[in-house]
């Protein structure tokens, strides 16, 4: 059974680099999208204060205080007042991306290529046929309706995008919502990087629904997470929001999955979702890193995420040379299929500005 799944990109990377010993003691791991800034103190304090609630089973549907904080975030950020049945807390978003297709059982799933590997694994586990939607320089790393075959019944979109850092406009998202209604297709929008922006706020597919008059969010679901926003991936706090009819049945499915978040984590997450100032601090740090990257590598600063999708001659050879110098990057082809991602490496700017300068200077020399 396990042979159906591709090796995870990090496993492929370990195999590629296993015989290379870096020439330097100092190592820069720029492969994983894990924030390296400390989780804000007020979130840590809440977790400690509520550890006494470890003696209680958490509800699958989540505590009211957490759901209210998440709906509050959606209201502040997008001006949309979700009904209680239109949002479910989740244990991060990776579990949703994997088990939602198991619940849905789509016949054919489409998603971007390159992609976050869970999209593919979930489709395989659900027995769904796959349609890869290439992200290329020619389409500005944004998926188009023209890429579809027309027989897909489930589509995953990802904006702001991992790994390419592209951002779809509100009008572009509206086209997908209209398509979902016209063809009765379910679309899941992965928006986990929505809060790491540097100028204009990225649009949500929830906003696109409102703009085209789909006020019940029919056939549309979005996911988001606190991991990047609050530098708190260990809290495992995400949500899925949108079509209340689908979520009602999905909640029942989730009671069997057994992925309820422990109460101390829920209460700490509620604090984090309710506060926005700490997020601005992180955005400023990431922007500093991109300004360094612009100065060092001559790249354009993306609208969002903390990734550089850097064009190179040969992503495999570049990755090996970089690790010899102590810098670990992700070859683009490990994140794609059918040649997607070749000639690019993904670099995660998740460290302090000083370490970022040091790492990017090494990359510049290799270019």
């Amino acid at each position: 059974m396990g042979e159906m799944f591709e090796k995870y990109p990090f496993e492929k990377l370990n195999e590629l680099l296993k015989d290379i010993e870096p020439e330097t003691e100092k190592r820069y791991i720029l492969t994983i999208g894990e924030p390296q800034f400390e989780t804000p103190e007020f979130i840590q304090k809440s977790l400690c204060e509520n550890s006494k609630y470890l003696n209680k089973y958490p509800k699958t549907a989540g505590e009211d205080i957490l759901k209210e904080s998440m709906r509050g975030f959606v209201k502040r950020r997008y001006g949309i007042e979700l009904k209680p049945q239109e949002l479910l807390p989740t244990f991060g978003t990776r579990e949703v991306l994997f088990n939602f297709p198991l619940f849905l059982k789509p016949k054919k799933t489409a998603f971007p290529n390159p992609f976050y590997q869970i999209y593919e694994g979930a489709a395989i586990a659900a027995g769904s046929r796959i349609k890869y939607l290439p992200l290329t320089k020619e389409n500005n790393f944004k998926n188009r309706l023209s890429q579809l075959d027309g027989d897909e019944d489930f589509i995953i979109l990802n904006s702001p995008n991992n790994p390419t850092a592209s951002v779809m406009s509100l009008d572009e998202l509206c086209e997908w919502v209209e398509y979902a209604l016209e063809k009765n297709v379910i679309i899941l929008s992965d928006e986990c990087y929505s809060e790491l922006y540097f100028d204009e706020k990225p649009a949500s597919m929830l906003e696109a629904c409102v703009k085209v008059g789909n006020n019940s969010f029919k056939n549309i679901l979005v996911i988001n997470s606190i991991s990047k926003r609050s530098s708190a991936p260990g809290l495992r706090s995400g949500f899925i929001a949108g079509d209340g009819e689908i979520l009602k049945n999905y909640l029942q499915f989730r009671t069997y999955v057994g992925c309820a978040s422990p109460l101390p984590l829920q209460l700490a997450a509620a604090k984090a979702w309710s506060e926005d100032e700490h997020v601005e601090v992180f955005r400023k740090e990431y922007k500093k890193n991109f300004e360094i990257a612009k100065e060092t590598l001559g790249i354009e600063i993306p609208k969002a995420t903390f990734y550089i999708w850097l064009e190179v001659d040969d992503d495999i050879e570049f990755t090996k040379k970089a690790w010899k110098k102590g810098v670990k990057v992700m070859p683009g082809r490990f994140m794609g299929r059918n040649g997607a991602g070749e000639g690019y490496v993904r670099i995660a700017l998740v460290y302090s500005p000083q370490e970022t300068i040091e790492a990017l200077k090494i990359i510049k020399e290799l270019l």
Side-chain angles (χ1 to χ4, degrees), residues 12-215:
K12 291 182 183 180
L13 184 62
N14 289 340
E15 287 176 4
L16 177 70
L17 303 178
K18 70 179 188 299
D19 297 324
I20 299 172
E21 186 60 37
E23 298 167 347
T24 170
E25 292 274 315
K26 183 76 174 166
R27 311 286 159 86
Y28 304 92
I29 312 301
L30 307 181
T31 49
I32 187 165
E34 179 182 68
Q36 297 301 308
F37 301 114
E38 191 171 313
T39 303
E41 196 175 327
F42 77 95
I43 300 173
Q44 294 187 46
K45 189 178 174 195
S46 172
L47 184 62
C48 294
E49 287 172 351
N50 291 298
S51 61
K52 59 191 174 190
Y53 295 119
L54 284 170
N55 69 337
K56 298 188 184 302
Y57 280 115
K59 294 182 289 198
T60 299
E63 296 300 310
D64 288 343
I65 188 170
L66 178 60
K67 291 185 280 189
E68 284 163 16
S69 72
M70 289 168 164
R71 292 201 306 273
F73 161 75
V74 173
K75 176 81 188 293
R76 294 192 310 276
R77 176 68 168 81
Y78 303 113
I80 293 171
E81 195 130 10
L82 292 173
K83 296 178 182 132
Q85 67 270 25
E86 291 172 340
L87 181 145
L88 276 179
T90 61
F91 198 61
T93 52
R94 181 170 171 163
E95 60 98 341
V96 186
L97 286 166
F98 190 76
N99 68 45
F100 185 77
L102 298 180
F103 154 75
L104 204 61
K105 299 188 189 69
K107 291 184 177 69
K108 187 173 180 182
T109 302
F111 51 79
N113 184 25
F115 53 89
Y116 179 41
Q117 188 132 348
I118 301 299
Y119 304 166
E120 183 185 68
I124 291 169
S128 180
R129 287 178 295 131
I130 293 172
K131 170 69 175 180
Y132 298 104
L133 307 176
L135 298 170
T136 64
K137 194 161 41 169
E138 289 68 39
N139 63 22
N140 292 320
F141 305 107
K142 296 181 190 184
N143 291 131
R144 312 283 186 215
L145 289 169
S146 58
Q147 295 178 309
L148 297 171
D149 293 331
D151 60 344
E152 298 85 0
D153 50 349
F154 180 49
I155 298 167
I156 301 172
L157 295 174
N158 176 209
S159 174
N161 183 260
N162 168 24
T164 71
S166 66
V167 177
M168 296 172 79
S169 70
L170 181 59
D171 287 343
E172 287 166 336
L173 292 171
C174 286
E175 290 175 16
W176 288 90
V177 174
E178 287 170 337
Y179 181 84
L181 294 172
E182 181 193 334
K183 301 285 188 181
N184 197 28
V185 175
I186 292 171
I187 296 181
L188 177 69
S189 180
D190 178 352
E191 302 179 357
C192 288
Y193 290 89
S194 69
E195 302 316 286
L196 300 187
Y197 57 83
F198 308 113
D199 185 15
E200 190 181 338
K201 295 178 183 179
S204 169
M205 200 163 265
L206 294 176
E207 292 176 287
C209 284
V210 171
K211 186 167 182 182
V212 304
N214 180 15
N215 294 314

Side-chain angles (χ1 to χ4, degrees), residues 137-367:
K137 194 161 41 169
E138 289 68 39
N139 63 22
N140 292 320
F141 305 107
K142 296 181 190 184
N143 291 131
R144 312 283 186 215
L145 289 169
S146 58
Q147 295 178 309
L148 297 171
D149 293 331
D151 60 344
E152 298 85 0
D153 50 349
F154 180 49
I155 298 167
I156 301 172
L157 295 174
N158 176 209
S159 174
N161 183 260
N162 168 24
T164 71
S166 66
V167 177
M168 296 172 79
S169 70
L170 181 59
D171 287 343
E172 287 166 336
L173 292 171
C174 286
E175 290 175 16
W176 288 90
V177 174
E178 287 170 337
Y179 181 84
L181 294 172
E182 181 193 334
K183 301 285 188 181
N184 197 28
V185 175
I186 292 171
I187 296 181
L188 177 69
S189 180
D190 178 352
E191 302 179 357
C192 288
Y193 290 89
S194 69
E195 302 316 286
L196 300 187
Y197 57 83
F198 308 113
D199 185 15
E200 190 181 338
K201 295 178 183 179
S204 169
M205 200 163 265
L206 294 176
E207 292 176 287
C209 284
V210 171
K211 186 167 182 182
V212 304
N214 180 15
N215 294 314
S216 66
F217 311 108
K218 179 175 167 54
N219 288 357
I220 302 296
L221 297 149
V222 309
I223 59 168
N224 213 324
S225 159
I226 214 164
S227 299
K228 323 299 183 197
R229 178 185 185 269
S230 297
S231 197
L235 272 185
R236 309 311 304 132
S237 180
F239 65 73
I240 181 168
D243 188 323
E245 285 301 307
I246 294 173
L247 289 179
K248 180 174 69 177
N249 295 323
Y250 180 49
L251 174 59
Q252 192 168 10
F253 171 84
R254 288 178 65 79
T255 59
Y256 289 88
V257 175
C259 52
S261 175
L263 281 170
L265 270 67
Q266 288 195 49
L267 295 169
K271 290 272 187 192
W273 283 109
S274 300
E275 212 272 355
D276 298 324
E277 284 180 25
H278 71 286
V279 193
E280 185 57 37
V281 174
F282 295 133
R283 275 196 287 269
K284 284 176 179 168
E285 288 299 305
Y286 290 126
K287 187 166 187 181
K288 274 185 214 166
N289 283 349
F290 275 113
E291 283 165 352
I292 291 163
K294 184 178 181 180
E295 193 177 315
T296 310
L297 304 177
I299 61 141
E300 285 303 309
I301 296 176
K303 290 181 179 176
T305 80
F306 44 47
Y307 295 122
I308 298 175
W309 189 235
L310 186 67
E311 195 167 4
V312 295
D313 289 336
D314 181 323
D315 50 310
I316 294 291
E317 287 308 310
F318 186 89
T319 299
K320 292 198 284 194
K321 286 176 187 170
W323 185 231
K324 191 75 180 160
K325 299 289 184 185
V327 179
K328 194 179 279 190
V329 299
M330 179 63 75
R333 72 182 71 186
F334 287 0
M335 304 193 73
R337 303 288 176 261
N338 310 323
E342 286 182 16
Y344 289 88
V345 292
R346 189 188 75 172
I347 298 169
L349 298 186
V350 291
Y351 287 92
S352 69
Q354 183 52 44
E355 288 172 297
T356 300
I357 289 170
E358 293 164 11
L360 293 186
K361 277 183 178 171
I362 294 168
I363 287 171
K364 185 184 180 181
E365 285 167 19
L366 294 172
L367 291 171

